[in-house]
Structures are given as structure tokens and as C-alpha cells.
């Protein structure tokens, strides 16, 4: 018999539970009565302890081993909850057989090894954390195949494409069309003086700081093109980006016969998170259907590559292949941190990344995890020392 509520028997491990995706995931879990087994976080340990209490979890993991004592103290009233910490504990939790579903909601390349651990344990891996796919997409997808893991996209665009592709043949696809809101600077012509506060003010989505800045530079869309390339095994030359300011159409697939299929929904990450948890079923949950009459119109524009060069740079890195996407991602992570610390200007983010890619992408690295981590570290250190002209 088909069990459309099977998600209620698949305890979750949420990696990065205190962040924007993590909190939305726990809200979906509460609405759908999905048990939560393990939670992990890097900072905000009080919030982590509170989540553990509310969701009745079995285990919490802090990313830094030195925080275990403090976290244990915060959960002194919950002696049955296992408390651990450090990089190895994070990977162990991601691979634990008690959690058949892992949601990857860590931000950045820090999620690479836990993502791999989840994949190598052959479970359902709901992927929000896109940077590991950009860094090591070949490795992750090959390991998923080898270990029988199911990769379920959480990123709204990729969830949309995943849904449009269900029951269709790969050979019938002509293009993937990723929609982009255009971010807070879509209509601002001179970006040389924009502030951190303006960049953090996204018009449609409420998200963590890093992805919000990535949305302002369109770096997020560049990362998503590479993410889509790996998740759907489609060449980047067949992945287009369309600016759609309302963020109602989450992405589209163009088929050979001229039909265009789209998925629509409110700009609320709980919808794609929920589908990754309940797949292949669409169950009732916390988010309502958008009201098309209230929205009234849907607009589309071409991205402005002059003001937002990150998009073409990402495509270039994907086409270079090898270590270039690793450099691209790592340089961005450091550049975003430096922008948030008001150490470099907004426009310097993409300048710095472009220079890092030029300087480092021909370096001799292979495809192993060790090589990827070494290239990542080299690019981070390069961009930390980089000075804008
Ligand atoms: P966030 O900054 O709000 O949360 C990040 C989480 O990761 C926190 O729980 C934090 O404690 C943890 N973390 C941070 N650094 C860590 C480290 N070094 N080691 C272990 N854990 C660490 O981020 P977010 O906005 O929730 O985004 C998470 C991921 O999901 C990102 O890769 C982002 O691109 C992707 N994503 C987010 C959204 C969104 O709406 N927020 C949408 C699509 C995709
Ligand atoms: Mg997205």
C-alpha cells in the first residue's frame, strides 16, 4: 500500500538548523509531524538548545568541539540528549542511520564534508547548501549514484525544475530557465556606492546574510547555474537565466516540442523544503497557493551583465571546469565577508573573484576531495590578502 505520510516515519537530521533554511525546515517538520532526530549549528548555541527542547531531539552537534561544554550546560535539563561537537561529529551525525533524511542547511563550503557524509550513507539528502555542489558536483553526484543516495533539491529554482522534469525524458529537454528576482539593485544604475544595509534588503526573500549578498551581486544565480548543471546533468550552455521580479515562477523547463513548463508558488522556502521532505507527494502544509488575481502580472527581463558580471563569470568558470568553480566559490565567500565587514565595496566583490579566478584557476589540482579542499583554502587566503585597485 502507498503511504503518502511516509515522511512521518523518516526522522530528520538538520545540518545548520539555526539558520534561515534550518528554521523553516523545523517549521515544516512541526506542521507535518515529521520527527527530528539531530540538529547542528555553528554559533547561536542558545537557539540550538531551544530548538532541541521544542522538537524533542536525540542529538545536537555544535560545529566547534570547544563549544561542547557550553552546549551541554545549556541542555543540563535534558540529560537524554546526546551533545557532541567538532568536524568529525558533524559528519558522523550526517551519516547516522537513525536519520533517513538529512537537510543540508549549512552556509558555504563548510557544508561540503557533512554533505558527502550524508550522501555516502545512501539516504535522502535534501540539498539547500548549494556551495558544495558548486565545488564538488561531480564527486557528490557520483557518490550519490554509488551509495544509492537520493538528492532532493531545496533551492526553489531547482525544486521547480525537478518538479517540471518528473516523468519526462532527459533527451526531450531543450533548456532550463532559472528565474532570478534581480535582487535589491535591479533598478539601481550606479552600484559603486551602495551600502551593506541596502544590499541586505532583499525585495522578496528573507534569507541568511551570505545568500542575500549573493542575490544582490547575482552571484547566487551563477552558483545556481552550476548547481543545476550538476543536479540535472545538463550543460551550462543550455541553462538560461531570466529576471522575474515577482519571484512567483520559480523556474521553467523548455522542451523540444516548444512547450514550456513552470512551477509557481509563493516566495516562501517552506514550499520547496516541504516537497523535498514529502517527495514524491504534495501534502498539505503551512504555505498557501499564491493568489494570481492579487499578483495580477508576471514580468520578465534579461539580466544586465554589465552591472552584474558575476553571472557570466560563473558560466565561464563552469566551462573552464576543474578547479575554477572551487576558486570562484571560495573567493566569493571571503569577498562577501569582507564586504559585510565594510572592508571592500560592493562592486569589488566580483572584481576580486574575477582576479582570483585569473590568478589561480590554472593551478595544478586534481578532482579528489583533498585537492578541492586545498584549492578552496588557497583561494580563501588569496582573497583575504587581495586589495582592490
Ligand atoms: P544562514 O546563515 O541563515 O544559516 C546557516 C546555518 O549554518 C546556521 O545554522 C549556522 O550555525 C550554520 N553554519 C554556519 N557556518 C558553519 C560552519 N562553518 N560549520 C557548520 N555550520 C555552520 O544561511 P541560510 O540562508 O539558511 O542558507 C543556508 C544554505 O541554503 C546556503 O547554502 C544557501 O545558499 C542555501 N539557500 C538558502 C535559501 C534561503 O532562503 N535562506 C534559499 C535557497 C538556498
Ligand atoms: Mg534559489
Amino acid at each position: 500500500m502507498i503511504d503518502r505520510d511516509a515522511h512521518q516515519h523518516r526522522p530528520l537530521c538538520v545540518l545548520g538548523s539555526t539558520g534561515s533554511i534550518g528554521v523553516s525546515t523545523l517549521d515544516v517538520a512541526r506542521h507535518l509531524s515529521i520527527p527530528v532526530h539531530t540538529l547542528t549549528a555553528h554559533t547561536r548555541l542558545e537557539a540550538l538548545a531551544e530548538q532541541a527542547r521544542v522538537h524533542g531531539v536525540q542529538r545536537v552537534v555544535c560545529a566547534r568541539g570547544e563549544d561542547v561544554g557550553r552546549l551541554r550546560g545549556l541542555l543540563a535539563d535534558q540529560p537524554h540528549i546526546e551533545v557532541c561537537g567538532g568536524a568529525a561529529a558533524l559528519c558522523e551525525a550526517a551519516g547516522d542511520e537513525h536519520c533517513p533524511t538529512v537537510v543540508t542547511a549549512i552556509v558555504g563550503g563548510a557544508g561540503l564534508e557533512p554533505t558527502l557524509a550524508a550522501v555516502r550513507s545512501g539516504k535522502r539528502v535534501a540539498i539547500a547548501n548549494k556551495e558544495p555542489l558548486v565545488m564538488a558536483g561531480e564527486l557528490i553526484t557520483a557518490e550519490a549514484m554509488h551509495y544509492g543516495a537520493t538528492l532532493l533539491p531545496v533551492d526553489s529554482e531547482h525544486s521547480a525544475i525537478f518538479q517540471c522534469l518528473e516523468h519526462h525524458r532527459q533527451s526531450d529537454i531543450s533548456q532550463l530557465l532559472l528565474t532570478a528576482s534581480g535582487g535589491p539593485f535591479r533598478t539601481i544604475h550606479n552600484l559603486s556606492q551602495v551600502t551593506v544595509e541596502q544590499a541586505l534588503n532583499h525585495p522578496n526573500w528573507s534569507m541568511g546574510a551570505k545568500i542575500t549578498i549573493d542575490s544582490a551581486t547575482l552571484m547566487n544565480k551563477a552558483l545556481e547555474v552550476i548547481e543545476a548543471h550538476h543536479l540535472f546533468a545538463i550543460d551550462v550552455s543550455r541553462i538560461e537565466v531570466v529576471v522575474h521580479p515577482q519571484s512567483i515562477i520559480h523556474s521553467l523547463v523548455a522542451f523540444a516540442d516548444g512547450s514550456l513548463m513552470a512551477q509557481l508558488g509563493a516566495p516562501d522556502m517552506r514550499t520547496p523544503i516541504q516537497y523535498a521532505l514529502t517527495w514524491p507527494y504534495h501534502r498539505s502544509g503551512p504555505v498557501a497557493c499564491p493568489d494570481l488575481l492579487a499578483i495580477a502580472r508576471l514580468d520578465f527581463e534579461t539580466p544586465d551583465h554589465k552591472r552584474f558580471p558575476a553571472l557570466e563569470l560563473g558560466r565561464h568558470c563552469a566551462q573552464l571546469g576543474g578547479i575554477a568553480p572551487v576558486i570562484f566559490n571560495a573567493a566569493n565567500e571571503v569577498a562577501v565577508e569582507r564586504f559585510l565587514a565594510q572592508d571592500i565595496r560592493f562592486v569589488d566583490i566580483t572584481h576580486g573573484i574575477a582576479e582570483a579566478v585569473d590568478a589561480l584557476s590554472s593551478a595544478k589540482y586534481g578532482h579528489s576531495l583533498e585537492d578541492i579542499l586545498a584549492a578552496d583554502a588557497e583561494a580563501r587566503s588569496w582573497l583575504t590578502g587581495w586589495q582592490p585597485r
Side-chain angles (χ1 to χ4, degrees):
M1 208 182 77
I2 294 172
D3 179 5
R4 284 159 51 77
D5 289 320
H7 49 275
Q8 294 179 344
H9 312 293
R10 287 194 295 259
L12 295 182
C13 166
V14 185
L15 302 173
S17 65
T18 54
S20 165
I21 292 288
V23 167
S24 295
T25 301
L26 292 179
D27 191 52
V28 170
R30 185 174 59 80
H31 273 92
L32 276 81
S33 305
I34 303 176
V36 183
H37 184 283
T38 297
L39 297 177
T40 87
H42 182 56
T43 51
R44 301 187 55 226
L45 299 185
E46 290 79 6
L48 176 62
E50 186 53 23
Q51 289 179 333
R53 230 177 248 113
V54 169
H55 289 274
V57 310
Q58 315 293 307
R59 182 197 284 159
V60 290
V61 186
C62 48
R64 288 180 301 220
E66 61 269 29
D67 288 335
V68 169
R70 189 155 84 82
L71 184 55
R72 199 168 274 142
L74 291 167
L75 285 166
D77 58 331
Q78 308 280 319
H80 60 282
I81 300 182
E82 184 188 343
V83 178
C84 31
L90 213 54
C91 290
E92 207 175 296
D96 182 346
E97 59 177 20
H98 294 100
C99 307
T101 305
V102 177
V103 179
T104 71
I106 291 174
V107 60
L112 173 55
E113 287 176 272
T115 300
L116 270 173
V119 166
R120 287 175 175 154
S121 61
K123 44 181 86 170
R124 285 179 167 235
V125 188
I127 298 195
N129 183 197
K130 64 194 84 180
E131 294 89 349
L133 274 174
V134 172
M135 299 164 72
E138 277 98 7
L139 181 62
I140 292 172
T141 51
E143 295 289 70
M145 186 90 86
H146 181 76
Y147 289 96
T150 307
L151 304 182
L152 295 159
V154 167
D155 217 344
S156 54
E157 296 77 1
H158 304 74
S159 175
I161 290 170
F162 180 67
Q163 292 176 59
C164 293
L165 288 180
E166 279 179 303
H167 317 299
H168 290 93
R169 284 175 210 280
Q170 185 84 4
S171 55
D172 290 345
I173 305 169
S174 68
Q175 257 191 344
L176 305 183
L177 296 163
L178 292 184
T179 53
S181 69
F185 302 140
R186 184 173 62 87
T187 55
I188 295 189
H189 290 289
N190 184 353
L191 299 178
S192 60
Q193 300 304 328
V194 294
T195 64
V196 169
E197 194 187 343
Q198 286 173 300
L200 283 174
N201 188 20
H202 196 283
N204 304 350
W205 298 94
S206 157
M207 311 180 284
K210 193 254 176 188
I211 184 175
T212 305
I213 302 303
D214 287 351
S215 301
T217 54
L218 290 204
M219 181 70 190
N220 182 49
K221 215 46 60 178
L223 298 172
E224 289 183 354
V225 167
I226 305 175
E227 180 186 14
H229 158 66
H230 290 297
L231 283 174
F232 306 115
I234 295 226
D235 193 82
V236 288
S237 62
R238 291 205 289 149
I239 308 175
E240 279 307 320
V241 172
V242 182
V243 175
H244 163 47
Q246 291 90 357
S247 297
I248 297 296
I249 296 185
H250 294 306
S251 277
L252 313 91
V253 176
F255 290 96
D257 59 2
S259 65
L260 200 52
M261 209 175 271
Q263 185 262 348
L264 285 70
D268 186 326
M269 285 307 294
R270 292 176 301 175
T271 308
I273 291 169
Q274 176 173 321
Y275 191 57
L277 302 183
T278 60
W279 173 81
Y281 305 111
H282 287 272
R283 310 297 287 143
S284 130
V287 185
C289 259
D291 174 352
L292 288 183
L293 295 179
I295 294 163
R297 58 182 276 179
L298 300 172
D299 295 300
F300 305 98
E301 298 167 7
T302 313
D304 180 343
H305 294 295
K306 217 165 166 272
R307 279 183 305 141
F308 303 105
L311 203 48
E312 285 304 283
L313 183 58
R315 204 180 279 286
H316 171 65
C317 289
Q319 274 151 352
L320 282 177
I323 219 68
V326 180
I327 308 292
F328 179 66
N329 175 68
N332 177 56
E333 287 195 35
V334 176
V336 168
E337 274 169 30
R338 290 185 60 182
F339 171 65
L340 287 171
Q342 303 188 8
D343 178 27
I344 61 174
R345 292 176 312 158
F346 180 77
V347 289
D348 294 329
I349 299 175
T350 317
H351 293 158
I353 303 167
E355 288 188 30
V357 169
D358 269 353
L360 304 174
S361 63
S362 58
K364 295 274 167 284
Y365 287 105
H367 297 288
S368 68
L369 178 62
E370 291 67 30
D371 279 347
I372 289 169
L373 293 174
D376 174 80
E378 184 179 0
R380 282 172 198 269
S381 135
W382 194 94
L383 209 104
T384 304
W386 175 76
Q387 284 310 324
R389 285 173 217 194

